[in-house]
Amino acid sequence: MSLQEFDALIDRMKLAFEYADNLGQYVEAAKVLYQMNDQLPDDLQLIFEELDSPEDAKSFVKQHYAELKSAIVDYRQRLMIA
């Protein structure tokens, strides 16, 4: 995947995440985080626990979004060098 393709895909996913997060739809936001994580190479993917209940989704989203953003930046840097 090229840098441009990755950026376009992640940008769409970020919009979907922000939309769900802003509406308080944390289960949907968590699903987007899982999808974003799946786009990263195996060595950069975060290990996410399964959501046991919708009540856990808000804390899951808040906890993992910053970590995922950092992994995305790392992968973008790899793509720029390649």
Side-chain angles (χ1 to χ4, degrees):
M1 177 179 313
S2 73
L3 176 60
Q4 293 79 15
E5 292 169 328
F6 180 73
D7 281 346
L9 179 63
I10 292 298
D11 285 345
R12 286 193 308 272
M13 289 179 164
K14 281 182 183 177
L15 287 174
F17 169 80
E18 290 169 1
Y19 183 76
D21 188 43
N22 288 337
L23 291 177
Q25 297 176 340
Y26 299 111
V27 172
E28 294 304 316
K31 289 178 184 179
V32 175
L33 289 184
Y34 280 109
Q35 293 170 350
M36 291 169 79
N37 193 48
D38 286 343
Q39 297 305 312
L40 296 172
D42 291 340
D43 65 321
L44 286 177
Q45 284 188 3
L46 302 176
I47 299 173
F48 289 158
E49 69 275 2
E50 292 293 321
L51 285 176
D52 295 327
S53 69
E55 293 80 33
D56 297 335
K58 182 176 182 177
S59 62
F60 175 89
V61 166
K62 300 301 179 199
Q63 176 183 355
H64 293 295
Y65 184 61
E67 296 173 38
L68 187 58
K69 281 176 42 177
S70 178
I72 289 168
V73 168
D74 289 345
Y75 186 50
R76 284 190 80 253
Q77 290 174 344
R78 283 187 193 177
L79 290 173
M80 281 190 266
I81 293 170

